[in-house]
Amino acid sequence: MVEPIFEYQFRLILIGDSTVGKSSLLKYFTDGKFAEVCDPTVGVDFYARLIEVRPGIRVKLQLWDTAGQERFRSITRSYYRNSVGALIVYDITKRSSFEHLEDWLKESQLHIEPHKAVYLIVGHKSDKDNDRKVTTREGRQFAEYHGLRFLETSAKTGTNVEEAFLVVARDIYQMLEEGKITVEEGWDGVKNGFARPKETLHLVEGEPEGGGCC
């Protein structure tokens, strides 16, 4: 018999303009703390964490943090195809990052298709409400127009950080159960989990330890 370490592995990608806080979100989600200073991502960075999507059902999230600068686009595009989830992040204090959401969404859909994926629009830095340039209503309306989920988050306070990744992972698992997403050879978006041998029971009831046959 085998006891699974996790049922599936989901590969997620974070995209959006530079400095919107993608790395901060990932560091809070994986380390549980806010990084006051984050060096700009060069190309891509990798993170991972195990979560529970249903009671007793664990999945491993393979998380790819992408650079927002245009000069790295050719590198980050190659990571779209093997992703089953995308968090598209903007900074609520930076209007231009919100205005670029449409471009990020179209680019990710173009490169992920024909595979299906779960998308979440993330308005980040909700702790800076006094400096807000994008209203919560605007963010929600953009997401609803495209039929996507929406959350505002803050890596500084931890608001909705955990929830953002759980929402995406649970939706992916739901689509797996419904057969809308499947494990496919040659695609890394969803992979089956790894397993380990279950400890073998060596003692027969009533037999003393070390006891054997004649």
Side-chain angles (χ1 to χ4, degrees):
M1 294 178 65
V2 292
E3 180 183 348
I5 299 174
F6 52 90
E7 301 290 330
Y8 295 101
Q9 175 180 286
F10 299 160
R11 183 164 169 164
L12 312 184
I13 190 169
L14 273 75
I15 55 178
D17 283 7
S18 181
T19 74
V20 297
K22 300 185 293 294
S23 300
S24 296
L25 280 171
L26 281 167
K27 286 178 180 177
Y28 189 94
F29 180 63
T30 54
D31 298 338
K33 57 188 178 183
F34 175 63
E36 288 288 347
V37 179
C38 278
D39 294 328
T41 303
V42 178
V44 293
D45 280 339
F46 170 76
Y47 298 79
R49 183 182 152 183
L50 285 174
I51 63 166
E52 197 169 70
V53 291
R54 297 276 176 83
I57 304 295
R58 295 198 304 170
V59 301
K60 178 180 180 181
L61 297 184
Q62 196 180 67
L63 306 157
W64 294 92
D65 179 17
T66 67
Q69 298 98 320
E70 180 63 35
R71 68 180 184 274
F72 294 118
R73 290 288 184 90
S74 60
I75 298 173
T76 57
R77 285 187 188 116
S78 64
Y79 287 85
Y80 284 121
R81 180 182 173 274
N82 281 306
S83 298
V84 70
L87 283 75
I88 309 178
V89 187
Y90 69 93
D91 179 348
I92 68 164
T93 71
K94 196 171 181 180
R95 186 80 193 178
S96 60
S97 68
F98 175 72
E99 292 170 348
H100 295 157
L101 285 180
E102 189 83 37
D103 295 333
W104 286 107
L105 177 59
K106 286 180 179 177
E107 180 174 280
S108 60
Q109 289 175 331
L110 174 66
H111 292 283
I112 289 176
E113 290 180 355
H115 300 289
K116 292 186 180 297
V118 172
Y119 296 88
L120 175 69
I121 302 300
V122 179
H124 193 217
K125 304 184 184 180
S126 62
D127 56 285
K128 297 184 176 181
D129 199 55
N130 291 336
D131 299 320
R132 180 186 289 274
K133 297 294 187 296
V134 184
T135 67
T136 303
R137 182 182 178 184
E138 286 178 298
R140 185 174 290 111
Q141 284 180 332
F142 177 89
E144 288 177 351
Y145 177 79
H146 291 281
L148 308 176
R149 289 185 180 272
F150 168 76
L151 277 176
E152 285 193 342
T153 62
S154 168
K156 188 168 187 176
T157 63
T159 303
N160 283 336
V161 175
E162 188 90 3
E163 185 65 17
F165 293 93
L166 282 173
V167 161
V168 174
R170 285 170 178 161
D171 281 357
I172 294 168
Y173 186 74
Q174 179 70 32
M175 292 176 75
L176 265 171
E177 285 194 313
E178 295 171 355
K180 295 177 181 177
I181 292 175
T182 58
V183 178
E184 299 177 33
E185 186 70 29
W187 182 56
D188 291 338
V190 177
K191 299 177 76 171
N192 286 314
F194 295 99
R196 63 188 172 200
K198 195 172 184 179
E199 290 183 7
T200 305
L201 185 63
H202 293 290
L203 300 180
V204 177
E205 188 175 356
E207 179 180 285
E209 186 171 356
C213 179
C214 9

